[in-house]
Structure formats: structure tokens, C-alpha cells
């Protein structure tokens, strides 16, 4: 009797398990068909050619969710990922799972990156962890957490910007960075955050991906963006260096060409880190104060611009590069500073013309006010915080300006 009961109940349990498994597989196939039926339409300039915004909308071809706006979310395949660190957040795990579930997705469709989006994003994330550790930032701290999350978000928009097309890839949008915000808002872990944390992450992502520049900035957010941006550039540099070694080792390859490509990648690194490092340097300068060596001037006639002593700015910039593991441009510090100014000038990062006054060969100006003299200063774009705006408006000053 006992044995017969076990056999009978075991058979019923197996039958029930088979039904559950069948229902699960049916649900998965139904969901896959639903996701496959969706078409993402991306419009780069919904407000005209001058618009910086990206519009996304979902088109449902044949499913009931076409009539349910609340269900029209962007869904991605997901894989389950496991990490050895207890401080990895659910949002990081969800992003890693989405990227891991799209191993075929390229990091670039034009050949700049030859690795997968998942591999590149994972490398950037690991660099962010390493950079936080080298700066003494605890991994469970808000600053480190935000830096890692931004590192995974920086290229996530390529999941929407690129689409497979026969044997190649089609770029549906040139605004993959802005599309990262759409990916963020489609994450379950994002909506599970408390309101304050969610707003903070969205603000940081908007600043990094969309170029948003609030008047009042939070230094911790700025630092997290800097770490994520530097990590991206370090990952790109490592990839190019590895590819360069492979290429130049081949028979018949030109080592001079390989060296030139490596140098170009290094220069790009110095261009891409400009925005984040600039903010960190300027936040620490005494703008419009005559005391101390850290001199910089903001004038009412040139809103959203600032004049900074070139030696101060370049020295601090190179120091930040060194602390973040970025190779030097030259053996001599003086040569490195001059090359830095040349690179920034070529890439439009320095303002070289102010009305009839033009910077000369060294890309610098001589600015003199009644309180401060900057004989070799550079002019750079800087969104003034409210306090500086009030200071400049309340203390308009006479000045002379000429190119050096």
C-alpha cells in the first residue's frame, strides 16, 4: 500500500511538474513573440534640426498591448548574472543581465570598437570599480555606486540605436547616449529605488548622457560622472592598445601606422576626459579672487566663459590624468602641457576668438583687471553656478584683453 501510494503520488507530481513546465515554456514563447512584434521608432530631431532631444515610440503590429499604453514599455532579453561582491546593486545586475543576454550586439557599427557591447561595458564597469578603489572610495558608498551604474549606462542606448539587418547592423539613431535614458527608465530596478535615489540617478544620467548642466551642481555626482567617463576612455584605450599589438605583430604590417593609431587613441582620451576634469578643476579654483595662486577670472561681458591661468589648469589636468592611469603625452612636463593645449585647440575645446581679439600660437590670452593679471590664460566654456553669476553681476570690472 505504502509503495503503491508513493508510485501514484510520484506520478501525479511528475505530471503536475510537466504541466507547469509546459505553461512556463508557452508563456516564454508568447512573450518572445510579443517582443518580436514591437518596432521601436527613434527620431533624432523631434523639435527640428536644432533640437538636442530624442523621441522614442513603440509600434505594436498585432498584439493586444497595442491598445494598452501602460504596457508599452521597452522590454529586453535578460540573463541572470552572479557576482562575488555583496555591494553590487540590483540595478547593476539587471543592466549586466540585459547586456549579457545580447552578446551579438556590437559596441560600434563603424569599426571604432571591434568588441561586443557587453564586453566593452563590462570592462568599463571593472575600470570604475578599480578607479574607485584607487581613490579610496568605499564600494558601498553612494559615489562609487553611482559611478558603477553610470559606467554600465554610458553605452546602453546602443541597444536601441542599433538593429540587426540581414548580415550587418543598421544604425537607427546617432543619439545612442541620449537613448541610455530610455533604457534606464525601462529597468524594473530603477523604479524599485526610493524617489530621492531615483531622481539623483536620473539627474546624473541626464548630465552624463544628455549634456544637462544644472546651475547648482552636486560635487559627488560630478565625481561619479568623471569616474565613469574616465573608465570608458581607459577601456577604449586598453582595447585599442591590445588591437594595436596584435596588428603590428602581423607579417607585413606597418609598425609606424600602429604607433600613430595608438597616439591618436591617446589624444582622443585627453579630449574625452576634458569635460569631467574641467569641472573638477574649476570647482576648486578661486574665480575672481586675487589671493592665492589658483587664479581664474569670469567677466560679465563673456557669460558662460572663464579665463584660467594655463599653467595651473594644464598642471592639474595632467595630475588628474596620471592619478587615473592615463599615459603621458610626452616625457617633458612642459612639452606635455603644450601638446595638451594644441589638442584642445584642434578639437574646439578652447575659445580662441573673442570679438576682434584672437589667441595667438600658444592659444592663450593676456587678461588684466584691476585686481588680477593673467599673462598666459586660456579661455574655456563654463556654465556658471548661481553664486558666481551673482558675484560677477554685483562686481562688474574693467579689463584689458589681448592675444598672446
Amino acid at each position: 500500500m505504502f509503495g503503491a501510494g508513493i508510485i501514484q503520488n510520484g506520478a501525479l507530481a511528475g505530471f503536475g511538474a510537466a504541466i507547469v513546465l509546459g505553461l512556463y515554456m508557452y508563456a516564454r514563447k508568447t512573450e518572445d513573440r510579443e517582443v518580436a512584434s514591437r518596432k521601436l521608432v527613434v527620431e533624432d530631431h523631434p523639435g527640428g534640426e536644432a533640437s538636442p532631444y530624442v523621441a522614442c515610440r513603440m509600434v505594436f503590429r498585432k498584439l493586444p498591448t497595442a491598445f494598452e499604453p501602460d504596457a508599452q514599455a521597452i522590454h529586453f532579453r535578460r540573463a541572470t548574472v552572479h557576482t562575488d561582491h555583496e555591494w553590487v546593486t540590483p540595478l547593476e545586475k539587471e543592466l549586466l543581465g540585459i547586456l549579457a543576454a545580447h552578446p551579438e550586439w556590437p559596441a560600434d557599427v563603424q569599426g571604432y570598437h571591434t568588441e561586443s557591447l557587453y564586453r566593452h561595458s563590462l570592462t568599463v564597469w571593472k575600470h570604475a570599480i578599480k578607479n574607485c578603489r584607487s581613490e579610496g572610495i568605499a564600494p558601498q558608498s553612494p559615489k562609487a555606486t553611482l559611478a558603477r551604474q553610470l559606467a554600465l549606462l554610458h553605452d546602453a542606448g546602443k541597444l536601441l540605436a542599433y538593429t540587426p539587418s540581414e548580415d550587418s547592423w543598421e544604425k537607427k539613431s546617432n543619439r545612442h547616449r541620449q537613448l541610455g535614458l530610455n533604457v534606464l527608465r525601462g529597468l524594473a530596478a530603477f523604479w524599485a529605488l526610493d524617489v530621492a535615489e531615483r531622481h539623483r540617478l536620473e539627474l546624473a544620467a541626464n548630465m552624463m548622457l544628455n549634456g544637462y548642466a544644472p546651475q547648482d551642481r552636486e560635487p559627488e555626482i560630478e565625481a561619479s560622472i568623471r569616474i565613469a567617463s574616465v573608465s570608458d576612455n581607459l577601456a577604449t584605450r586598453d582595447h585599442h592598445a591590445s588591437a594595436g599589438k596584435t596588428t603590428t605583430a602581423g607579417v607585413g604590417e606597418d609598425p609606424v601606422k600602429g604607433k600613430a593609431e595608438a597616439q591618436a587613441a591617446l589624444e582622443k582620451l585627453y579630449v574625452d576626459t576634458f569635460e569631467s576634469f574641467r569641472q573638477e578643476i574649476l570647482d576648486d579654483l578661486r574665480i575672481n579672487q586675487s589671493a592665492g595662486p589658483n587664479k581664474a577670472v569670469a567677466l560679465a561681458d563673456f557669460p558662460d566663459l572663464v579665463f584660467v591661468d594655463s599653467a595651473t589648469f594644464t598642471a592639474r589636468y595632467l595630475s588628474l590624468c596620471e592619478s587615473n592611469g592615463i599615459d603621458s603625452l610626452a616625457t617633458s612636463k612642459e612639452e606635455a602641457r603644450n601638446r595638451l593645449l594644441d589638442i584642445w585647440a584642434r578639437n574646439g575645446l578652447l575659445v580662441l576668438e573673442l570679438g576682434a581679439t584672437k589667441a595667438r600660437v600658444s592659444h592663450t590670452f593676456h587678461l588684466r583687471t584691476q585686481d588680477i593679471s593673467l599673462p598666459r590664460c586660456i579661455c574655456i566654456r563654463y556654465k556658471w553656478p548661481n553664486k558666481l553669476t551673482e558675484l560677477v553681476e554685483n562686481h562688474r570690472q574693467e579689463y584689458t584683453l589681448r592675444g598672446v
Side-chain angles (χ1 to χ4, degrees):
M1 291 287 292
F2 180 73
I6 290 178
I7 294 173
Q8 184 177 5
N9 290 332
L12 288 173
F15 181 68
I19 292 176
V20 170
L21 180 61
L23 289 173
Y24 171 76
M25 296 302 295
Y26 174 76
R28 286 295 301 271
K29 288 181 179 179
T30 301
E31 183 181 14
D32 289 344
R33 285 198 302 271
E34 178 181 341
V35 171
S37 77
R38 302 175 184 189
K39 180 182 179 183
L40 179 69
V41 177
V42 179
E43 185 180 355
D44 277 356
H45 305 284
E49 285 300 315
S51 170
Y53 297 103
V54 174
C56 292
R57 60 189 176 91
M58 298 298 296
V59 176
F60 295 77
R61 297 173 181 166
K62 58 185 178 182
L63 295 164
T65 48
F67 304 102
E68 300 174 13
D70 292 342
Q72 296 185 18
I74 300 173
H75 291 281
F76 300 101
R77 300 194 304 269
R78 283 170 168 78
T80 303
V81 296
H82 301 281
T83 63
D84 296 330
H85 308 295
E86 68 282 357
W87 36 259
V88 177
T89 62
L91 189 137
E92 292 170 79
K93 291 180 180 179
E94 185 172 359
L95 274 170
L96 285 168
I98 290 172
L99 292 165
H102 294 77
E104 76 283 8
W105 234 258
D108 180 65
V109 296
Q110 296 175 315
Y112 182 67
H113 288 287
T114 56
E115 58 188 344
S116 70
L117 178 61
Y118 169 66
R119 181 55 53 190
H120 172 67
S121 300
L122 183 63
T123 304
V124 175
W125 184 68
K126 289 180 177 179
H127 267 294
I129 295 173
K130 181 179 178 181
N131 288 342
C132 286
R133 187 184 300 121
S134 66
E135 293 187 23
I137 304 172
Q140 65 272 19
S141 68
K143 186 189 296 185
T145 298
L146 183 59
R148 296 194 309 269
Q149 291 170 341
L150 293 175
L152 290 174
L153 271 174
H154 84 284
D155 269 351
K158 291 179 178 179
L159 292 168
L160 304 179
Y162 302 162
T163 184
S165 175
E166 296 181 357
D167 295 331
S168 60
W169 289 86
E170 177 186 352
K171 180 187 285 190
K172 297 196 296 183
S173 171
N174 292 318
R175 305 291 187 86
H176 76 266
R177 290 181 64 83
Q178 290 91 330
L179 287 171
L181 290 166
N182 296 78
V183 175
L184 174 64
R185 292 166 186 149
L187 300 177
F190 172 71
W191 297 105
L193 298 172
D194 63 65
V195 175
E197 192 175 358
R198 190 165 68 240
H199 286 177
R200 182 170 179 271
L201 174 57
E202 193 167 30
L203 171 63
N206 199 15
M207 291 170 65
M208 183 181 75
L209 302 174
N210 214 25
Y212 176 59
Q215 289 255 334
D216 294 320
R217 291 178 296 274
E218 184 180 332
E220 191 171 79
I221 290 179
E222 296 280 356
S224 297
I225 293 173
R226 173 184 60 80
I227 292 170
S229 300
V230 169
S231 299
D232 177 26
N233 284 288
L234 290 174
T236 302
R237 182 203 62 180
D238 292 348
H239 173 65
H240 285 173
S242 175
K245 289 177 183 177
T246 302
T247 301
T248 55
V251 177
E253 294 291 343
D254 185 0
V256 176
K257 181 181 177 182
K259 185 176 180 180
E261 290 176 351
Q263 188 65 32
L266 180 60
E267 290 191 4
K268 184 179 184 302
L269 195 57
Y270 275 84
V271 171
D272 290 345
T273 54
F274 182 83
E275 185 173 343
S276 57
F277 284 176
R278 171 191 59 186
Q279 196 62 53
E280 186 161 331
I281 295 171
L282 292 178
D283 284 345
D284 194 41
L285 294 182
R286 303 183 182 95
I287 300 177
N288 285 15
Q289 296 184 29
S290 58
N294 305 325
K295 296 179 181 178
V297 175
L299 298 171
D301 287 347
F302 304 106
D304 294 336
L305 296 178
V306 66
F307 298 87
V308 188
D309 175 66
S310 63
T312 298
F313 192 86
T314 52
R316 293 200 174 195
Y317 198 97
L318 290 169
S319 176
L320 282 171
C321 288
E322 182 179 354
S323 64
N324 283 275
I326 301 175
D327 297 335
S328 177
L329 286 162
T331 54
S332 162
K333 288 186 177 181
E334 183 64 27
E335 183 184 354
R337 286 198 291 266
N338 291 335
R339 288 191 61 189
L340 203 54
L341 293 175
D342 287 338
I343 292 169
W344 291 341
R346 288 201 311 270
N347 287 274
L349 299 177
L350 301 180
V351 178
L352 304 176
E353 186 172 344
L354 295 165
T357 305
K358 297 182 180 180
R360 305 300 174 127
V361 178
S362 62
H363 316 301
T364 58
F365 297 91
H366 184 176
L367 174 68
R368 182 187 293 275
T369 72
Q370 62 183 16
D371 298 322
I372 303 174
S373 177
L374 298 178
R376 285 175 59 87
C377 64
I378 54 176
C379 182
I380 57 181
R381 297 173 187 87
Y382 175 48
K383 187 69 175 178
W384 296 353
N386 287 331
K387 291 181 180 179
L388 180 58
T389 302
E390 294 171 3
L391 176 66
V392 171
E393 290 299 324
N394 294 332
H395 182 61
R396 301 177 72 92
Q397 52 186 322
E398 296 294 327
Y399 65 90
T400 59
L401 181 69
R402 64 181 178 84
V404 177

